[in-house]
Structure formats: C-alpha cells, structure tokens
Amino acid sequence: METPVSLLSLQPEIEPDRSVEQINRAEVVDIPAAPAPLLTPATTVEPVLIYKTVDELSVRAANCRLCSLANTRTQVVFGSGNADADIVFIGEVPDSDEDQQGEPFVGSTGKLLDRMLISIGLDRKAVYCLNIVKCRPPNGRDPRVEEVQACSLWLEQQLESLQPKVICALGRVAAQTLLKTEETLAELRGSWHDYQGTPVWVTYHPAFLLRSPQQKQKCWSDLIELMEHYGC
Ligand code: URA
C-alpha cells in the first residue's frame, strides 16, 4: 500500500495573506504519494490524522502560517493541561500574557478560571484548556472570521485527538464557533449541545466575569450543573 503523504508536511508555509476560502481543505488532509492509475475507478481519500497526539499537533502548529496572525503573534498558544482529561475548557483567543508565555489562561483571566475550577473541585492540571484561535490578534482585537476559520483546522484535530467526555465552552465566541450557530450566549446557556458526538455545556467567559462580577453566581450554577452531569 502506498504511504500517505501529508501535503502540510510538504508545504508548511501558506502565504498569510491568502484568504481562508482559498485554502483548500485538501491541503491539510493526506493524499496518496503517487497518482492512481488512469483506469482505476475514483476513490474518496479520507483524511488521515498524521499527527495523532496533541503534543505532535502542538509541535506542528507552532509554525502555522494559515492566517496573518502569524505575523504579529509572539508564539502559538496551542493548549495545555492533561491530554487524557475527561473535560476540556475552550476559550476564545490568547491575551498578551498567554502570547508571551505560550499557554492558555495564565493571565488574570486564567487566575479567575483557576478559582472557578477549584470552586467545583477541579484542579487546573487535571483538565485541558485551549482556545478557538491559537494566536493573539494584534492589540487584543476580536478574532476575524477568516482567522477563526483557518484555526478550525487545528481545533478540529485537537478535539479529535483529545476525545473528551464533555466540553465546556467559555463565552459566546467559543460556543458559537464550536456549535456553528448564531444563537446568543443567553440562548445557549442552560441546555446541552453536541459537538460531533461530545456533549457541550456553555457558560460565561472568565474575562466577562472580571468585568461583570455580579454574573459569577450564574456561572457557578452552570459549573455545578456541569459537574452533576459529568463528575469528571
Ligand atoms: N482569554 C481566552 O479566551 N483565552 C486565554 O487563554 C486567555 C484569555
């Protein structure tokens, strides 16, 4: 059997200014090393994960140039924590502390996330944290649609590799991106959703809670319910 070759491994650099629409998904899936003989009936080539573990993916993502954030980031913030965790927390984008340190949720937002986790009996090291977009947008601006789309290539493989029992989406951007919906956070909170067979629970982003501490109680109730269903 022919050895599959990853096009990404052949062509790691994609011009940052290229729009995501132009980035053919075939570029990140595997193709046969040689063209099939002319008379062979066409077969569908299924995507094959070459980088199976999150560590392998993380090494690969460190050189990502799928969008123009590659020009301004300090480093890619892929994710951190226990790769075997039952529960994965998903934020939005790295902030400046994360951009400097290369880990998600290490700044003031991360300190609050740590306290939120402790309040429900979870140790930060026991869970896995990641962001929808892996690179900090310049000056902390919101991520653009094309940046979210480009990064979904990593997000999908990361979640495929982690295989959590449950996902907790922190804030609107994480929830809407993951669930491919435009429903508001208020509409999404309080009921279970599905990401490719994995249950998804939605609550506030800790950065929002730093600005609106009066909402912390509601977030705590969300987290209690999450733990009641999935005492991870
Ligand atoms: N906000 C996020 O969504 N993620 C981080 O890592 C830090 C702040």
Side-chain angles (χ1 to χ4, degrees), residues 59-107:
V59 169
R60 188 69 203 164
N63 297 316
C64 178
R65 302 199 61 81
L66 286 173
C67 78
S68 58
L69 294 182
N71 297 331
T72 51
R73 71 180 179 225
T74 305
Q75 56 193 312
V76 172
V77 180
F78 193 69
S80 72
N82 175 8
D84 294 321
D86 288 339
I87 183 161
V88 166
F89 288 86
I90 305 188
E92 182 181 343
V93 289
D95 212 340
S96 53
D97 291 308
E98 290 77 18
D99 177 62
Q100 291 298 320
Q101 296 183 40
E103 267 192 50
F105 292 107
V106 289

Side-chain angles (χ1 to χ4, degrees), residues 80 110 147 230:
S80 72
E147 293 158 356
Y230 288 92

Side-chain angles (χ1 to χ4, degrees), residues 116-136:
M116 285 159 56
L117 296 181
I118 289 169
S119 78
I120 52 164
L122 285 179
D123 179 352
R124 172 72 181 269
K125 294 194 195 77
V127 305
Y128 193 92
C129 294
L130 58 95
N131 285 307
I132 292 289
V133 173
K134 314 292 183 208
C135 298
R136 181 181 189 239

Side-chain angles (χ1 to χ4, degrees), residues 42 91 219:
C219 179

Side-chain angles (χ1 to χ4, degrees), residues 8-34:
L8 253 191
S9 72
L10 298 177
Q11 191 188 14
E13 305 254 320
I14 293 174
E15 316 87 80
D17 291 337
R18 237 171 103 194
S19 80
V20 175
E21 282 69 33
Q22 289 174 284
I23 300 170
N24 187 331
R25 281 191 167 248
E27 288 171 350
V28 293
V29 302
D30 303 313
I31 57 161

Side-chain angles (χ1 to χ4, degrees), residues 206-218:
F208 168 75
L209 296 175
L210 286 175
R211 296 190 301 272
S212 310
Q214 69 280 10
Q215 305 295 342
K216 281 184 187 168
Q217 179 64 42
K218 284 200 223 161

